[in-house]
Amino acid sequence: MRFDILTLHPELCRGPVSGSILGRAQEAGLIDVGIHDLRDHAEGRHRQADDAPYGGGSGMVMKVDVVDRGIQAVRQAGGHVVLMDPVAPTFRQADALRLAQVPQLVLVCGHYEGVDARVREHLVDEALSIGDYVLTGGELAALVVLDAVARQVPGVLGNPDSLGVESFTPRDDGQVLLEAPQYTRPREYRGWEVPDVLLSGHHALIDAWRHERAVALTRRWRPDLLPPEDPD
Ligand code: ADE
């Protein structure tokens, strides 16, 4: 799968995609990540990528023609273009699963003060926010989306079983639950003990315990994930 990030700050994007799992996935040829400077598509001696807003107001607005040329330069057949925008539907795990099906994901990073509205209206397939807060730019948001999508690409995670029972991903029965807590050695640390059942070697009991903990955690921290008809 191919990812292309369009940004005014390519240096912000390079680190997070070059190490660890994403770095290895690129070396293995499972994903390809291009990071492109939108300023390369700006015109004039000053390569101006933003301008003052029509109607007045503070701040600068990213220019539609610059973003248009940037998208045209990287978009391939079947490519899906997403604008990172705090005023957009919130990105969820279901979106990560959906976007992992496209051959190319183009992520457009907005300027913190704004992007000409014609970008969202005419140039992109959708816009996504990563949460109800405003970042200085879309770069961190694009990297969040890239990371969550890339790990769904077959082979990127060494052990595909880790995708099986995950928080926010529907289980076989369709239920969405937070993942049960995990423990590792030592068995006891400063008097804090690992639950006995995990040491029992009894897989059916362990599965039942994990399910019970997952339901309890979800009820406590994220009741919004449980179906509305759930009486508790
Ligand atoms: N750009 C600035 N804030 C953002 C957010 N929360 N999500 C996506 N893009 C953004």
Side-chain angles (χ1 to χ4, degrees), residues 118-156:
R118 289 168 290 186
V119 170
R120 181 158 175 190
E121 288 162 12
H122 303 290
L123 296 180
V124 301
D125 296 302
E126 67 182 303
L128 289 171
S129 164
I130 62 160
D132 292 347
Y133 37 80
V134 182
L135 302 164
T136 56
E139 286 73 17
L140 292 175
L143 291 164
V144 165
V145 170
L146 188 156
D147 187 290
V149 173
R151 65 193 289 288
Q152 299 297 332
V153 172
V156 167

Side-chain angles (χ1 to χ4, degrees), residues 7 23 35 101 114 116 139 142 146 175 187 191 199 202 222 228 231:
T7 169
I35 298 168
Q101 306 303 313
D116 189 304
E139 286 73 17
L146 188 156
Q175 241 186 340
R187 183 173 173 170
L199 311 166
H202 193 308
R222 292 297 305 273

Side-chain angles (χ1 to χ4, degrees), residues 20 42 72 81 98-100 106 140 152 167 178 220:
S20 188
Q72 284 183 38
V81 184
R98 171 174 64 84
L99 294 174
V106 178
L140 292 175
Q152 299 297 332
S167 301
L178 299 180
R220 171 141 193 216

